[in-house]
Amino acid sequence: MKYVKTEIMVGMFMLAGIVAAVVLCLKVAGLVMSEDSSTYTVMARFDNIGSLKIRAPIKIGGVLIGRVEKIDLDKDTLTPVVHMAIESRFNTISSESKASILTAGLIGEQYIGITPGFYDEDLGTTYLKQGDTLKDTGSAMVLEDLISKFAFGAKE
Amino acid sequence: MYEFLGALGRYGLKKLASLGRSTVMLVNALWGVPKPGKHFPLLVQEIYFVGVQSIIIILVSGLFIGMVLGLQGYNILKDFMATGSLGTLVALAILRELGPVVTALLYAGRAGSALTAEIGQLKASEQISAMEMMAVDPLRRIIAPRFWAGFISMPILSILFCIVGIYGGKFVGVDWLGLDDGIYWSGMQNSVDVITDFYPMLVKSLVFAVACTWIALFNGYDCKPTSAGISAATTATVVQSSLAVLGLDFVLTALFF
């Protein structure tokens, strides 16, 4: 069956509309995550993650090394568990490193900053690999807590 | 005094009558859902005319509106150290308001006026009367395919506008001004929701499609069959469609958000 040029153009138009709608749902509304570069996932437990969001950057010394993949709540301890997808080429991060939730600017987006720890095989430290958990973490600075500490005195 | 009342009454009756005629036309057009096979070639032709040929103007204006939003938003948010919210700002502004509204305004100017002029010309050259003489229903043959073409095309155009606008904001914010790519998208993905933002956009564009196409078709169908009449009808189409779109937008926004 032969089609006229108009029909082909209309077909392309409608296809473009459908593709754009799908892109809008996936990319803009964030229905599904699409990560294609190879990463490994490391967990970290925090007391309070503040307003950390999925896909927030993970940085060492300000350099982007990965993104937050998933934020979950541990059912037993009721503490937030952050799954961090770190790019595979950064594979020499010591397991003694510290992950803290920092804020870009005063009211900016929150991100995870990793302070590298020492690496010494004799003391049993290893490089981080898939499925490891960072023990040393620093929670998010919550402005309301700071203000109440300042106003009513620290009770810790 | 009586003269004034009489003039007012005649004006009101005339408006009411034209409203009635336009409703009859709309109902007939709605009734004439194109049947596969018989009416599809007409429908495809009209989608090509109102939809495909409007793509360029929609894409270009979407891109520039997104870029301007990115630039203005970045410069203002920078003062508050909140450039991380740029993606949210651009996406919500475009999805909720600018996308459907600007698309509808451009559609009214680009496709609506052309529809009015085309149908007015058909009427002026008595082709509509000729169709009636041949027992071809002009509503079925001329009005219905154009109406449905507008109804199908407008949401697609709106979606394309939104996508291009959001990428325009990304070009300026991320690629030019150096905002982080992930923060742009993550801020957006955290605040944009399919239910609360995407569906209202579609509903808005469908309502605007009905309003714009209806106004354009009726003005053409009801115009004086002279060149001055066609020109007046074309102007009326653009003015009435723009006002209708902006007014309806307020009502819909009040309903949705």
Side-chain angles (χ1 to χ4, degrees):
Chain A
M1 192 160 172
K2 209 159 172 286
Y3 292 102
V4 210
K5 189 182 145 217
T6 335
E7 287 174 311
I8 295 164
M9 296 292 275
V10 169
M12 280 162 62
F13 173 62
M14 298 180 95
L15 189 69
I18 294 165
V19 169
V22 171
V23 172
L24 212 56
C25 285
L26 297 188
K27 185 96 186 178
V28 177
L31 272 186
V32 186
M33 290 298 137
S34 56
E35 282 297 325
D36 39 23
S37 62
S38 91
T39 56
Y40 64 98
T41 309
V42 174
M43 265 89 78
R45 267 167 220 278
F46 295 91
D47 292 332
N48 189 339
I49 57 161
S51 61
L52 189 75
K53 286 166 187 159
I54 289 170
R55 277 182 66 77
I58 296 162
K59 294 176 174 180
I60 290 183
V63 178
L64 183 80
I65 60 158
R67 297 199 179 275
V68 172
E69 190 178 52
K70 193 172 127 194
I71 298 174
D72 212 352
L73 193 69
D74 188 317
K75 274 196 184 124
D76 301 325
T77 56
L78 291 179
T79 47
V81 180
V82 176
H83 296 246
M84 304 181 288
I86 297 172
E87 284 177 40
S88 302
R89 60 198 172 103
F90 300 110
N91 54 1
T92 53
I93 304 167
S94 158
S95 58
E96 295 300 311
S97 304
K98 174 174 180 171
S100 13
I101 299 180
L102 308 170
T103 309
L106 193 58
I107 51 170
E109 290 273 326
Q110 287 187 308
Y111 66 96
I112 294 184
I114 293 184
T115 319
F118 65 91
Y119 177 72
D120 191 341
E121 276 177 28
D122 299 338
L123 290 172
T125 61
T126 52
Y127 291 133
L128 282 179
K129 56 185 187 299
Q130 171 76 28
D132 280 357
T133 304
L134 279 178
K135 287 168 235 77
D136 194 3
T137 58
S139 283
M141 175 191 76
V142 180
L143 206 57
E144 288 86 341
D145 287 354
L146 283 184
I147 293 171
S148 67
K149 267 182 203 163
F150 175 72
F152 306 114
K155 298 242 169 65
E156 287 174 36
Chain B
M1 188 64 195
Y2 280 124
E3 272 189 12
F4 170 72
L5 283 178
L8 190 66
R10 182 175 291 173
Y11 177 77
L13 283 176
K14 218 171 105 188
K15 286 288 156 196
L16 269 181
S18 90
L19 195 66
R21 281 200 304 280
S22 70
T23 312
V24 167
M25 190 203 81
L26 180 72
V27 168
N28 277 315
L30 289 172
W31 204 245
V33 178
K35 289 204 186 79
K38 194 176 168 200
H39 293 113
F40 259 38
L42 286 174
L43 182 67
V44 166
Q45 183 62 42
E46 290 309 321
I47 293 181
Y48 178 76
F49 181 63
V50 289
V52 177
Q53 295 196 337
S54 307
I55 277 190
I56 296 294
I57 184 175
I58 295 286
L59 292 189
V60 172
S61 29
L63 184 68
F64 278 100
I65 285 181
M67 280 161 66
V68 166
L69 267 182
L71 198 55
Q72 291 276 18
Y74 186 89
N75 283 330
I76 292 171
L77 290 172
K78 197 173 63 185
D79 294 345
F80 304 102
M81 299 288 279
T83 47
S85 311
L86 185 71
T88 311
L89 174 105
V90 171
L92 286 186
I94 287 184
L95 273 178
R96 288 189 175 176
E97 293 299 334
L98 291 172
V101 172
V102 176
T103 307
L105 292 177
L106 291 172
Y107 176 88
R110 158 68 186 73
S113 57
L115 284 178
T116 307
E118 192 190 3
I119 294 173
Q121 180 58 36
L122 284 180
K123 197 178 175 189
S125 52
E126 292 178 342
Q127 295 189 45
I128 291 185
S129 315
M131 278 186 181
E132 278 169 355
M133 295 284 280
M134 293 188 288
V136 174
D137 184 359
L139 287 171
R140 198 82 200 250
R141 173 92 195 168
I142 295 175
I143 304 293
R146 286 172 173 74
F147 179 83
W148 287 104
F151 192 75
I152 294 170
S153 304
M154 181 87 91
I156 301 182
L157 291 174
S158 289
I159 292 172
L160 289 173
F161 183 99
C162 292
I163 276 292
V164 171
I166 287 166
Y167 271 93
K170 188 223 161 213
F171 286 141
V172 170
V174 175
D175 299 330
W176 179 22
L177 296 171
L179 187 71
D180 184 79
D181 190 41
I183 285 188
Y184 184 84
W185 292 113
S186 76
M188 190 184 298
Q189 287 167 357
N190 278 304
S191 47
V192 176
D193 193 79
V194 174
I195 308 287
T196 60
D197 300 309
F198 186 62
Y199 288 152
M201 192 271 290
L202 281 184
V203 173
K204 272 186 180 182
S205 63
L206 286 175
V207 172
F208 295 161
V210 172
C212 286
T213 323
W214 183 17
I215 290 173
L217 292 176
F218 179 67
N219 273 318
Y221 196 65
D222 204 46
C223 78
K224 286 202 187 75
T226 57
S227 32
I230 295 174
S231 131
T234 314
T235 314
T237 294
V238 176
V239 173
Q240 290 171 6
S241 312
S242 310
L243 291 179
V245 164
L246 296 172
L248 281 172
D249 182 50
F250 176 76
V251 174
L252 288 173
T253 306
L255 285 178
F256 277 128
F257 301 110

